[in-house]
Amino acid sequence: MDLLAIATGVVGGIGLFLLGMRLMTEGLRLGAGHALRSILERGTATRARAVLAGIGITALVQSSSAVTVAVIGFANAGLLSLAQAVAVVFGSNVGTTITGWLVALVGFNVDVKAMALPGIGVGMAMRLASAGRAGGFGEALVGFGVFFLGIDVLKGSLGGLQESIAFAGWTTNDLLGVVAFTLAGFALTVVMQSSSAALAVILTSVGQGVVSIESGACLVIGANAGTTSTAAIAAIGATSNAKRVAVAHIAFNAVTGVVALVTLPLLLLAAGRFREALGLGSEPAAVVAGFHTLFNVLGVALMWPLTSRLVGMLERRFRTPEEDEARARYLDRNILATPVLAVGARGLELARLGAI
């Protein structure tokens, strides 16, 4: 297979994958939009529930970006506190690892076309028959089928790449190799503006033997960090709450990326044991998918005790004049100890509000 055919196959596979992701996301938002809104409103009463809501919703809609945008909207509307929004974002980083498991478990162990083509046909029939929720679920089913067709095209194209180019000299045995592969993963996500698409390319490359498990793990760390570029771009010129949520997202991915690099051998060993426990044989893509999940879960565990401090720091930053004006200028908890002074301070505060 010549390099031009490989390149067009990879580009086409990525295009099908992204199209499938978009159809799945939009279809599920149309079909289950009210349910997702209800989960966000009711399922975030505590920090733990907010993290679980982030995991569940992102796993369902297959888009951490869509969940983050929804969370920002809810925070701006006052339906979620900043602490709840940050916890949901942490959970969404874990939920997005489900894409890797879909690629590793289904994409390499199932006859993709036998499953995808009927799904596309049935889903399209549902979409044509209904414009409501059933149509939305039909569109999601079409997206699911196109998603796996993209994986199948990538598998064929990247398998040819292994035969055309010798990758044996590309290793992560030294610091330079680790940094190079991590930066390559970061660049892949920035260019595609989709960590899921980057992850699909990485896992398919590992599964086809194009790169080693260790190299794939470094690529995944970089791809995970690359998602922060989307948040950073979205925060430009955005509201204060949007900037705070974006910074929380960046902080989470920065911490998890550093920890994953430092503990790379241990996490890969744990991921390998996890693969054996699931009975997945020698499938290398499953190791990398497990590694991706493990270091995101570890990131949540590390950030959990720091969340209150992070939220407090974020609330002091990115303040608008309106937010400062809305804060009480003369009243605080300390003045409650002296009722006479508190009454006077209340009068001053009412006068300021009257002037506004």
Side-chain angles (χ1 to χ4, degrees):
M1 185 181 291
D2 59 59
L3 290 179
L4 179 60
I6 292 171
T8 54
V10 170
V11 171
I14 293 171
L16 284 171
F17 182 90
L18 289 172
L19 176 61
M21 290 287 293
R22 182 179 180 86
L23 289 172
M24 274 198 292
T25 300
E26 294 301 321
L28 286 169
R29 284 169 65 181
L30 176 62
H34 295 294
L36 298 180
R37 181 184 180 94
S38 177
I39 292 171
L40 273 178
E41 288 178 340
R42 302 175 185 177
T44 57
T46 65
R47 193 189 306 170
R49 288 172 63 181
V51 170
L52 292 175
I55 294 172
I57 294 173
T58 306
L60 179 63
V61 303
Q62 286 294 297
S63 174
S64 58
S65 298
V67 174
T68 301
V69 169
V71 166
I72 289 172
F74 275 66
N76 282 337
L79 298 174
L80 287 179
S81 67
L82 182 60
Q84 291 171 312
V86 168
V88 173
V89 168
F90 288 173
S92 73
N93 281 277
V94 177
T96 197
T97 65
I98 300 299
T99 303
W101 285 109
L102 285 174
V103 174
L105 298 182
V106 181
F108 288 94
N109 297 298
V110 175
D111 185 349
V112 173
K113 288 184 179 178
M115 180 184 68
L117 295 178
I120 293 173
V122 172
M124 203 61 217
M126 291 172 63
R127 187 70 182 90
L128 292 172
S130 172
R133 294 181 64 183
F137 286 121
E139 185 174 322
L141 189 58
V142 172
F144 197 74
V146 174
F147 171 95
F148 284 110
L149 282 181
I151 297 296
D152 195 51
V153 173
L154 279 175
K155 281 169 56 182
S157 300
L158 290 171
L161 186 63
Q162 182 191 20
E163 300 169 1
S164 302
I165 302 176
F167 288 90
W170 301 18
T171 66
T172 55
N173 294 333
D174 54 15
L175 181 61
L176 183 61
V178 170
V179 171
F181 275 99
T182 303
L183 290 177
F186 183 91
L188 194 62
T189 301
V190 171
V191 170
M192 293 184 179
Q193 284 297 295
S194 170
S195 61
S196 296
L199 191 63
V201 172
I202 294 166
L203 290 175
T204 306
S205 299
V206 173
Q208 296 298 94
V210 177
V211 295
S212 66
I213 290 175
E214 293 77 12
S215 301
C218 292
L219 287 167
V220 165
I221 294 170
N224 206 66
T227 61
T228 60
S229 65
T230 305
I233 292 170
I236 297 174
T239 63
S240 297
N241 273 330
K243 291 177 180 177
R244 290 167 186 147
V245 173
V247 170
H249 181 57
I250 292 169
F252 177 88
N253 283 279
V255 170
T256 54
V258 171
V259 170
L261 285 172
V262 172
T263 60
L264 182 61
L266 292 174
L267 288 174
L268 281 174
L269 179 62
R273 297 284 174 82
F274 186 59
R275 175 192 63 181
E276 293 172 3
L278 291 177
L280 298 176
S282 59
E283 184 55 64
V287 176
V288 180
F291 169 79
H292 187 208
T293 301
L294 281 175
F295 81 74
N296 274 286
V297 171
L298 181 60
V300 172
L302 290 172
M303 293 297 290
W304 187 272
L306 303 175
T307 302
S308 297
R309 291 186 179 182
L310 176 63
V311 169
M313 181 194 75
L314 292 173
E315 286 178 337
R316 292 190 295 271
R317 301 281 305 213
F318 310 111
R319 298 196 65 83
T320 62
E322 291 78 13
E323 286 179 304
D324 287 328
E325 191 173 40
R327 295 180 64 186
R329 190 168 298 171
Y330 301 103
L331 295 173
D332 58 35
R333 294 182 180 180
N334 297 323
I335 206 169
L336 289 175
T338 311
V340 174
L341 294 178
V343 172
R346 184 186 64 176
L348 291 172
E349 194 64 49
L350 287 172
R352 187 180 75 87
L353 292 174
I356 293 173

